[in-house]
Amino acid sequence: MDASSKFRAGWQWLAAPELWSRRRTAGESVLALVLGLMAAGTEELLGGEGLQLLAVGAAAAVLSLLRRRMPAPVLLVAAALGPILSGFAALLMVVGWSAGRRIVGAGRTLAAFTVAYVFCVASTLADVWSQQAPMSFVLFTTLYFLATTVVPGLASRYWTQRRTLLHALQERNAQLLREHAMVAGQARLRERQRIAQDMHDSLGHQLALISVHTGALEVDRELTPRQREAVGVLRGASVTAMHELREVVGILRDGVEGPAPVDEPGRAARGTAGIEGLVGAARVAGNTVELVRHPVSSPEPR
């Protein structure tokens, strides 16, 4: 494995559990650099110099990068070094925020912050044990730990829980909207089925009755050939109406278009293609009908 592959694998481990985007990577790098410079600058103001400044700045930058991958260990290390290295004040705020957000479970979070507080107080006592009034330093350390670590941790945990709750409410709202749409669709389907049943019961029976009577008249021996032909036209029209009614009822029941109609003898065509057949049927029935065609002129270009 070459150096680039090792660096890529190490960066993926550092960015876990979620992979960082380019914007997140740039933001984390800038934050680590700023925290490192702040830690080194604070140490320089307090009298540090040379390699000590470089070590403090590098430690702050590394801990900043590791706080997402290992929130609890980074919190303990930062809390232990905070009283000794005054430049870690800003780092403690960032580490406390990340630990409060990323440590799973309230019990584990409380245990991690308690141990970090113990480390902070122990580090303070080890540094000032030879001085007078050590309990005063413990008091100031407690206030310092509360301000720089506990308060950001509590705020981060509250913000994370609030965001999780809002996300759950949004998902619940989306689920309710989907269920409402499904219920409305089922209601529309039931209404279409009811309309289809009503149409079939009312119009279907009437058309069937017309077809039966016209069929009986068609075979009546007392009718003249012309009258028999007119009755045949009426019977064909009633049969065609039955077919169209059946298609409409099927569409209303299923909510989808039916199959393409099959050409049947005596069935009227739809649209402009059925005009000639309609005129012919009217002429056979004894009506005087004239079909006039006008050519459609194309619009002149502007």
Side-chain angles (χ1 to χ4, degrees):
M1 183 180 294
D2 54 359
S4 61
S5 300
K6 291 181 179 179
F7 177 77
R8 190 180 300 108
W11 188 259
Q12 290 179 355
W13 175 85
L14 182 64
E18 72 274 5
L19 296 179
W20 291 352
S21 61
R22 293 184 178 180
R23 181 179 300 179
R24 173 60 62 83
T25 301
E28 289 294 329
S29 301
V30 171
L31 179 61
L33 179 61
V34 170
L35 291 177
L37 292 177
M38 290 179 63
T42 305
E43 286 297 321
E44 186 178 15
L45 291 176
L46 296 177
E49 58 183 10
L51 295 178
Q52 180 182 357
L53 301 180
L54 181 61
V56 171
V62 172
L63 290 176
S64 175
L65 292 175
L66 291 176
R67 77 184 192 280
R68 292 177 176 272
R69 190 65 176 85
M70 299 183 299
V74 170
L75 174 63
L76 298 180
V77 173
L81 296 179
I84 301 175
L85 303 176
S86 301
F88 274 24
L91 177 64
L92 275 173
M93 295 181 183
V94 177
V95 169
W97 176 277
S98 183
R101 178 184 178 184
R102 295 185 175 275
I103 298 178
V104 180
R108 293 182 180 180
T109 304
L110 179 61
F113 276 84
T114 302
V115 175
Y117 170 70
V118 172
F119 282 7
C120 184
V121 172
S123 179
T124 301
L125 292 178
D127 187 37
V128 300
W129 186 257
S130 60
Q131 303 180 14
Q132 296 179 355
M135 298 307 298
S136 299
F137 286 98
V138 172
L139 175 61
F140 288 127
T141 301
T142 302
L143 296 177
Y144 173 80
F145 185 81
L146 288 175
T148 59
T149 309
V150 176
V151 172
L154 291 176
S156 173
R157 197 162 190 85
Y158 168 76
W159 179 78
T160 302
Q161 292 178 352
R162 181 176 180 274
R163 189 179 65 172
T164 303
L165 178 60
L166 288 177
H167 183 66
L169 290 177
Q170 290 175 356
E171 290 184 350
R172 177 62 177 170
N173 186 34
Q175 181 180 359
L176 290 176
L177 290 177
R178 289 192 298 267
E179 292 178 355
H180 178 72
M182 293 176 59
V183 171
Q186 293 176 357
R188 287 193 297 268
L189 180 59
R190 287 194 298 267
E191 184 65 18
R192 284 198 298 264
Q193 292 176 351
R194 187 189 65 81
I195 294 174
Q197 187 64 36
D198 292 343
M199 290 181 63
H200 182 271
D201 293 341
S202 59
L203 297 179
H205 294 169
Q206 297 296 331
L207 290 175
L209 183 61
I210 293 173
S211 178
V212 170
H213 281 287
T214 52
L217 287 175
E218 193 175 5
V219 297
D220 191 354
R221 296 180 180 180
E222 297 182 359
L223 293 180
T224 63
R226 186 175 182 82
Q227 291 175 339
R228 187 174 290 109
E229 188 175 1
V231 172
V233 172
L234 293 177
R235 183 176 181 274
S238 63
V239 172
T240 302
M242 283 288 295
H243 284 293
E244 294 182 355
L245 177 63
R246 189 175 294 112
E247 287 186 2
V248 172
V249 169
I251 293 174
L252 288 175
R253 283 180 176 175
D254 302 334
V256 295
E257 293 291 339
V262 181
D263 294 336
E264 298 179 1
R267 185 173 180 182
R270 294 182 178 180
T272 57
I275 293 179
E276 294 183 358
L278 183 61
V279 171
R283 288 173 180 173
V284 171
N287 298 317
T288 302
V289 180
E290 182 180 359
L291 178 61
V292 180
R293 293 184 175 87
H294 296 282
V296 179
S297 59
S298 58
E300 297 181 358
R302 296 181 179 179

